[in-house]
Amino acid sequence: MIDIVNDPLPTDAALSALWLAAWGDAGPASFQPILQRSLAHVGAYDGERLVGFVNVAWDGGIHAFILDTCVDPAYRRQGLATRLVQAATEAARARGAQWLHVDFEPHLTAFYRGCGFAETAAGLIALG
């Protein structure tokens, strides 16, 4: 049984382990500054083990942003990412966001459409 937890405050070690499994690198040196600024974040736990995560950043007003949706590869294709995004959507709504944005690569279009996101035009500048 996988538990979905709002604002779980996972340790840097737990997030780094998930990042390594999901993205192929350990991520930032510390996730704590990111978590402290988030409107919400949602973790998926198999017992004590963090196996999924999504962050909800925000502008301090009515716009929130889904970031870093990830699931450990051993737990994929079970609807876990959908559950995470649904929980993040509910948390953002409950905390006063009126718009929830997400940017994603083309191969994730069906996933995010399935989560209820409508297609929009957007722009992007790579700064790094």
Side-chain angles (χ1 to χ4, degrees), residues 39-105:
L39 178 62
H41 52 278
V42 181
Y45 287 85
D46 185 357
E48 296 294 315
R49 182 175 173 210
L50 181 66
V51 298
F53 179 81
V54 65
N55 184 31
V56 183
W58 69 316
D59 67 352
I62 63 172
H63 294 271
F65 309 86
I66 294 286
L67 297 172
D68 304 325
T69 305
C70 63
V71 173
D72 183 297
Y75 291 82
R76 291 180 182 164
R77 313 300 292 165
Q78 299 175 33
L80 190 50
T82 300
R83 290 176 60 200
L84 285 165
V85 171
Q86 288 171 340
T89 300
E90 292 167 15
R93 181 180 292 116
R95 294 175 187 182
Q98 294 179 21
W99 296 97
L100 185 60
H101 306 259
V102 66
D103 293 327
F104 51 84
E105 295 177 357

